Amino acid sequence: MTAYAPDERVMVSPRYMAGAGDRLADAIAPLIHLFGWPAQHDAATGHVKIDSPDGSVPASTR
């Protein structure tokens, strides 16, 4: 088995073998990809802003 540094990125397939991962990404990904919520990503800060299509539920991450 190859040893990896704690901060080194590796690709794992199937995804469930990678572990719990980032719970926030697991929560917002279906909203964006399955339900079509518009997302805005600020590459400079890393912030992501998503809003429900009707604008009634704003959400943002940092």
Side-chain angles (χ1 to χ4, degrees):
M1 179 173 197
T2 304
Y4 294 99
D7 61 347
E8 190 172 353
R9 293 185 75 155
V10 296
M11 302 299 279
V12 178
S13 182
R15 187 171 187 258
Y16 67 84
M17 296 293 289
D22 182 356
R23 294 288 184 200
L24 183 58
D26 292 340
I28 66 171
L31 297 175
I32 296 169
H33 300 293
L34 297 177
F35 301 111
W37 286 31
Q40 299 168 350
H41 178 246
D42 183 346
T45 64
H47 295 178
V48 176
K49 182 178 186 295
I50 61 172
D51 294 308
S52 61
D54 67 359
S56 65
V57 183
S60 55
T61 66
R62 294 180 191 212

Coordinates of all heavy atoms in Angstrom, one line a residue:
M1 N 0.8 -1.2 0.0 CA 0.0 0.0 0.0 C 0.9 1.2 0.0 O 1.9 1.3 0.7 CB -0.9 0.0 1.2 CG -1.8 1.2 1.3 SD -2.9 0.9 2.7 CE -4.1 2.1 2.3
T2 N 0.5 2.2 -0.8 CA 1.3 3.5 -0.9 C 0.8 4.4 0.2 O -0.4 4.6 0.4 CB 1.1 4.1 -2.3 OG1 1.4 3.2 -3.3 CG2 1.9 5.4 -2.4
A3 N 1.7 5.1 0.9 CA 1.4 6.0 1.9 C 1.2 7.4 1.3 O 2.0 7.8 0.4 CB 2.5 6.1 3.0
Y4 N 0.2 8.1 1.7 CA -0.1 9.5 1.2 C 0.0 10.5 2.4 O -0.3 10.1 3.5 CB -1.5 9.5 0.6 CG -1.6 8.7 -0.6 CD1 -2.2 7.4 -0.6 CD2 -1.2 9.1 -1.9 CE1 -2.4 6.7 -1.7 CE2 -1.3 8.4 -3.0 CZ -1.9 7.1 -2.9 OH -2.0 6.4 -4.0
A5 N 0.4 11.7 2.0 CA 0.4 12.7 3.0 C -1.0 13.1 3.4 O -1.9 12.9 2.6 CB 1.1 14.0 2.5
P6 N -1.2 13.6 4.7 CA -2.6 13.9 5.1 C -3.3 14.9 4.2 O -4.5 14.8 4.1 CB -2.4 14.4 6.5 CG -1.1 13.9 7.0 CD -0.2 13.7 5.7
D7 N -2.6 15.8 3.6 CA -3.2 16.8 2.8 C -3.2 16.5 1.3 O -3.6 17.3 0.5 CB -2.6 18.2 3.0 CG -1.1 18.2 2.7 OD1 -0.5 17.2 2.5 OD2 -0.6 19.3 2.6
E8 N -2.7 15.3 0.9 CA -2.6 14.9 -0.5 C -4.0 14.5 -1.0 O -4.7 13.7 -0.4 CB -1.6 13.8 -0.7 CG -1.2 13.5 -2.1 CD -0.1 12.6 -2.2 OE1 0.6 12.2 -1.2 OE2 0.2 12.1 -3.3
R9 N -4.3 14.9 -2.2 CA -5.6 14.5 -2.8 C -5.4 13.2 -3.6 O -4.5 13.1 -4.3 CB -6.1 15.6 -3.8 CG -6.5 16.9 -3.0 CD -7.1 17.8 -3.9 NE -8.5 17.4 -4.3 CZ -9.4 18.1 -4.6 NH1 -9.2 19.4 -4.8 NH2 -10.6 17.6 -4.9
V10 N -6.4 12.3 -3.4 CA -6.4 11.1 -4.2 C -7.8 10.8 -4.7 O -8.8 11.3 -4.2 CB -5.9 9.9 -3.3 CG1 -4.5 10.0 -2.9 CG2 -6.8 9.7 -2.1
M11 N -7.9 10.1 -5.8 CA -9.1 9.7 -6.4 C -9.5 8.3 -5.9 O -8.7 7.4 -5.9 CB -9.0 9.7 -7.9 CG -8.6 11.1 -8.5 SD -9.7 12.4 -8.1 CE -10.9 12.2 -9.3
V12 N -10.8 8.2 -5.5 CA -11.3 6.9 -4.9 C -12.6 6.6 -5.7 O -13.4 7.4 -5.9 CB -11.6 7.0 -3.4 CG1 -12.1 5.7 -2.9 CG2 -10.3 7.4 -2.7
S13 N -12.6 5.3 -6.1 CA -13.9 4.9 -6.8 C -14.2 3.5 -6.3 O -13.2 2.7 -6.2 CB -13.6 4.9 -8.3 OG -14.8 4.5 -9.0
P14 N -15.4 3.2 -6.0 CA -16.6 4.0 -5.9 C -16.5 5.0 -4.8 O -15.8 4.9 -3.8 CB -17.7 3.1 -5.8 CG -17.1 1.9 -5.1 CD -15.7 1.8 -5.6
R15 N -17.3 6.1 -5.0 CA -17.2 7.3 -4.0 C -17.4 6.9 -2.6 O -16.8 7.4 -1.7 CB -18.2 8.3 -4.5 CG -18.0 9.6 -3.7 CD -18.9 10.7 -4.3 NE -18.6 12.0 -3.6 CZ -19.4 12.5 -2.7 NH1 -20.5 11.9 -2.4 NH2 -19.0 13.6 -2.1
Y16 N -18.3 5.9 -2.3 CA -18.6 5.6 -0.9 C -17.5 5.0 -0.2 O -17.4 5.0 1.0 CB -19.9 4.7 -0.8 CG -19.7 3.3 -1.4 CD1 -19.1 2.3 -0.7 CD2 -20.1 3.0 -2.7 CE1 -18.9 1.0 -1.2 CE2 -19.9 1.8 -3.2 CZ -19.3 0.8 -2.5 OH -19.1 -0.5 -3.0
M17 N -16.5 4.5 -0.9 CA -15.3 4.0 -0.3 C -14.4 5.1 0.3 O -13.5 4.8 1.0 CB -14.5 3.1 -1.3 CG -15.2 1.9 -1.8 SD -15.5 0.7 -0.5 CE -13.8 0.1 -0.3
A18 N -14.6 6.3 -0.1 CA -13.8 7.4 0.3 C -14.1 7.9 1.7 O -13.4 8.7 2.3 CB -13.9 8.6 -0.7
G19 N -15.2 7.5 2.3 CA -15.6 7.9 3.6 C -16.6 8.9 3.6 O -17.3 9.2 2.6
A20 N -16.8 9.6 4.8 CA -17.9 10.5 5.0 C -17.8 11.8 4.1 O -18.7 12.3 3.6 CB -18.0 10.9 6.4
G21 N -16.6 12.2 3.9 CA -16.3 13.4 3.1 C -16.9 14.7 3.8 O -17.1 14.8 5.0
D22 N -17.0 15.7 2.9 CA -17.5 17.0 3.4 C -19.0 17.0 3.4 O -19.7 17.0 2.4 CB -17.0 18.1 2.4 CG -17.4 19.5 2.8 OD1 -18.1 19.6 3.8 OD2 -16.9 20.4 2.2
R23 N -19.6 17.0 4.6 CA -21.0 16.9 4.7 C -21.8 18.1 4.1 O -22.9 17.9 3.6 CB -21.4 16.8 6.2 CG -21.0 15.6 6.9 CD -21.7 14.4 6.4 NE -21.3 13.2 7.2 CZ -21.6 12.0 6.8 NH1 -22.2 11.8 5.6 NH2 -21.2 11.0 7.5
L24 N -21.2 19.2 4.1 CA -21.8 20.4 3.5 C -22.0 20.2 2.0 O -23.0 20.4 1.4 CB -21.0 21.7 3.7 CG -21.6 23.0 3.2 CD1 -23.0 23.2 3.8 CD2 -20.8 24.1 3.5
A25 N -20.9 19.7 1.3 CA -21.0 19.4 -0.1 C -22.1 18.3 -0.4 O -22.8 18.4 -1.4 CB -19.7 19.0 -0.6
D26 N -22.2 17.3 0.5 CA -23.2 16.3 0.4 C -24.6 16.9 0.5 O -25.5 16.3 -0.1 CB -23.0 15.2 1.4 CG -21.7 14.4 1.2 OD1 -21.2 14.4 0.1 OD2 -21.3 13.7 2.1
A27 N -24.7 17.9 1.2 CA -26.1 18.5 1.4 C -26.5 19.4 0.3 O -27.6 19.4 -0.1 CB -26.1 19.3 2.7
I28 N -25.5 20.2 -0.3 CA -25.9 21.2 -1.3 C -25.8 20.6 -2.7 O -26.5 21.1 -3.6 CB -25.1 22.5 -1.2 CG1 -23.6 22.3 -1.5 CG2 -25.4 23.2 0.1 CD1 -22.9 23.6 -1.6
A29 N -25.1 19.6 -2.9 CA -24.9 19.0 -4.3 C -26.3 18.6 -4.9 O -26.5 18.9 -6.0 CB -23.9 17.9 -4.3
P30 N -27.1 17.9 -4.1 CA -28.4 17.5 -4.7 C -29.3 18.7 -5.1 O -30.0 18.7 -6.1 CB -29.1 16.7 -3.7 CG -28.0 16.1 -2.8 CD -26.9 17.2 -2.8
L31 N -29.2 19.8 -4.3 CA -30.0 21.0 -4.6 C -29.6 21.6 -5.9 O -30.4 22.0 -6.7 CB -29.8 22.0 -3.4 CG -30.3 21.6 -2.1 CD1 -30.0 22.7 -1.0 CD2 -31.8 21.3 -2.1
I32 N -28.3 21.6 -6.1 CA -27.7 22.2 -7.4 C -27.9 21.2 -8.6 O -28.5 21.6 -9.6 CB -26.2 22.5 -7.2 CG1 -26.0 23.6 -6.1 CG2 -25.6 22.9 -8.5 CD1 -24.6 23.8 -5.7
H33 N -27.5 20.0 -8.4 CA -27.5 19.1 -9.6 C -28.9 18.4 -9.8 O -29.2 18.2 -11.0 CB -26.4 18.0 -9.4 CG -25.1 18.6 -9.2 ND1 -24.4 19.2 -10.3 CD2 -24.2 18.7 -8.2 CE1 -23.3 19.7 -9.9 NE2 -23.1 19.4 -8.6
L34 N -29.6 18.0 -8.8 CA -30.9 17.3 -9.0 C -32.1 18.3 -9.1 O -33.0 18.0 -9.9 CB -31.1 16.3 -7.9 CG -30.1 15.2 -7.8 CD1 -30.4 14.3 -6.6 CD2 -30.1 14.4 -9.1
F35 N -32.0 19.3 -8.4 CA -33.2 20.2 -8.3 C -33.0 21.5 -9.0 O -33.9 22.4 -9.1 CB -33.6 20.4 -6.9 CG -34.0 19.2 -6.2 CD1 -33.2 18.7 -5.2 CD2 -35.1 18.4 -6.5 CE1 -33.5 17.5 -4.5 CE2 -35.4 17.2 -5.9 CZ -34.6 16.8 -4.9
G36 N -31.8 21.8 -9.6 CA -31.6 22.9 -10.4 C -31.5 24.3 -9.7 O -31.8 25.3 -10.3
W37 N -31.1 24.3 -8.4 CA -31.0 25.5 -7.7 C -29.8 26.3 -8.3 O -28.7 25.7 -8.6 CB -30.7 25.3 -6.2 CG -31.9 24.9 -5.5 CD1 -32.9 24.2 -5.9 CD2 -32.1 25.2 -4.1 NE1 -33.8 24.0 -4.9 CE2 -33.4 24.6 -3.7 CE3 -31.5 25.9 -3.1 CZ2 -33.9 24.7 -2.5 CZ3 -32.0 25.9 -1.8 CH2 -33.2 25.4 -1.5
P38 N -29.9 27.6 -8.6 CA -28.8 28.3 -9.2 C -27.7 28.5 -8.2 O -28.0 28.8 -7.0 CB -29.4 29.6 -9.6 CG -30.7 29.8 -8.9 CD -31.1 28.4 -8.5
A39 N -26.4 28.3 -8.6 CA -25.3 28.5 -7.7 C -24.4 29.6 -8.2 O -24.2 29.7 -9.4 CB -24.6 27.2 -7.5
Q40 N -23.8 30.3 -7.3 CA -22.7 31.3 -7.6 C -21.5 31.0 -6.8 O -21.6 30.9 -5.6 CB -23.2 32.7 -7.3 CG -24.5 33.1 -8.1 CD -25.1 34.4 -7.5 OE1 -24.7 34.9 -6.5 NE2 -26.1 34.9 -8.2
H41 N -20.4 30.8 -7.5 CA -19.1 30.5 -6.8 C -18.2 31.7 -6.9 O -17.9 32.1 -8.0 CB -18.5 29.2 -7.3 CG -17.2 28.9 -6.7 ND1 -16.0 28.9 -7.4 CD2 -16.9 28.5 -5.4 CE1 -15.0 28.6 -6.6 NE2 -15.5 28.3 -5.4
D42 N -17.7 32.2 -5.8 CA -16.6 33.2 -5.8 C -15.3 32.5 -5.7 O -14.9 32.1 -4.6 CB -16.9 34.2 -4.7 CG -15.9 35.4 -4.7 OD1 -14.9 35.3 -5.4 OD2 -16.2 36.4 -4.0
A43 N -14.6 32.4 -6.8 CA -13.3 31.7 -6.8 C -12.2 32.4 -5.9 O -11.4 31.7 -5.4 CB -12.8 31.6 -8.2
A44 N -12.3 33.7 -5.8 CA -11.4 34.4 -5.0 C -11.5 34.1 -3.5 O -10.5 34.0 -2.8 CB -11.5 35.9 -5.2
T45 N -12.7 33.9 -3.0 CA -12.9 33.6 -1.6 C -13.3 32.2 -1.3 O -13.2 31.7 -0.1 CB -14.0 34.5 -1.0 OG1 -15.3 34.2 -1.6 CG2 -13.7 36.0 -1.2
G46 N -13.8 31.4 -2.3 CA -14.2 30.1 -2.1 C -15.7 30.0 -1.6 O -16.2 28.9 -1.4
H47 N -16.3 31.1 -1.5 CA -17.7 31.1 -1.0 C -18.6 30.6 -2.1 O -18.4 30.9 -3.3 CB -18.2 32.5 -0.6 CG -17.4 33.0 0.6 ND1 -17.6 34.2 1.2 CD2 -16.5 32.4 1.4 CE1 -16.8 34.4 2.2 NE2 -16.1 33.3 2.4
V48 N -19.7 29.9 -1.7 CA -20.7 29.4 -2.7 C -22.0 29.9 -2.2 O -22.4 29.8 -1.0 CB -20.7 27.9 -2.8 CG1 -21.9 27.4 -3.7 CG2 -19.4 27.3 -3.2
K49 N -22.8 30.5 -3.1 CA -24.2 31.0 -2.7 C -25.2 30.3 -3.6 O -25.0 30.2 -4.8 CB -24.3 32.5 -2.9 CG -25.6 33.1 -2.6 CD -25.6 34.6 -2.8 CE -26.8 35.3 -2.3 NZ -28.0 34.9 -2.9
I50 N -26.2 29.7 -2.9 CA -27.3 29.1 -3.7 C -28.6 29.6 -3.2 O -28.7 30.0 -2.0 CB -27.2 27.5 -3.6 CG1 -27.4 27.0 -2.1 CG2 -26.0 26.9 -4.2 CD1 -27.6 25.6 -2.0
D51 N -29.6 29.7 -4.0 CA -30.9 30.1 -3.7 C -31.9 29.2 -4.3 O -31.7 28.6 -5.4 CB -31.2 31.5 -4.2 CG -30.3 32.6 -3.6 OD1 -30.3 32.7 -2.4 OD2 -29.7 33.3 -4.4
S52 N -33.0 29.0 -3.6 CA -34.1 28.2 -4.1 C -34.6 28.9 -5.4 O -34.5 30.1 -5.5 CB -35.2 28.0 -3.1 OG -35.8 29.2 -2.7
P53 N -35.1 28.1 -6.3 CA -35.6 28.7 -7.6 C -36.6 29.8 -7.4 O -36.7 30.8 -8.1 CB -36.2 27.5 -8.3 CG -35.5 26.4 -7.8 CD -35.2 26.6 -6.4
D54 N -37.5 29.7 -6.3 CA -38.5 30.8 -6.1 C -37.9 31.9 -5.2 O -38.6 32.8 -4.9 CB -39.8 30.2 -5.5 CG -39.6 29.6 -4.2 OD1 -38.5 29.6 -3.6 OD2 -40.6 29.1 -3.6
G55 N -36.7 31.7 -4.7 CA -36.1 32.7 -3.9 C -36.5 32.7 -2.4 O -36.1 33.6 -1.6
S56 N -37.2 31.7 -2.0 CA -37.7 31.7 -0.6 C -36.7 31.1 0.4 O -36.8 31.3 1.6 CB -39.0 30.9 -0.5 OG -38.8 29.6 -0.9
V57 N -35.7 30.4 -0.1 CA -34.7 29.8 0.8 C -33.3 30.1 0.3 O -32.7 29.4 -0.5 CB -34.9 28.2 0.8 CG1 -33.9 27.6 1.8 CG2 -36.3 27.8 1.2
P58 N -32.7 31.2 0.8 CA -31.3 31.5 0.5 C -30.4 30.6 1.4 O -30.7 30.3 2.5 CB -31.2 32.9 0.8 CG -32.2 33.2 1.9 CD -33.3 32.2 1.6
A59 N -29.3 30.2 0.8 CA -28.3 29.5 1.6 C -26.9 29.9 1.0 O -26.7 30.2 -0.1 CB -28.5 28.0 1.4
S60 N -25.9 30.0 1.9 CA -24.6 30.3 1.5 C -23.6 29.5 2.3 O -23.9 29.1 3.5 CB -24.3 31.8 1.6 OG -24.6 32.3 2.9
T61 N -22.4 29.2 1.8 CA -21.4 28.5 2.5 C -20.1 29.3 2.5 O -19.9 30.1 1.6 CB -21.1 27.1 1.8 OG1 -20.6 27.4 0.5 CG2 -22.4 26.3 1.7
R62 N -19.3 29.0 3.4 CA -17.9 29.6 3.5 C -16.9 28.6 3.7 O -17.1 27.6 4.3 CB -17.9 30.6 4.6 CG -18.8 31.8 4.4 CD -18.7 32.7 5.5 NE -19.8 33.7 5.3 CZ -19.7 34.9 5.7 NH1 -18.6 35.4 6.2 NH2 -20.7 35.7 5.5

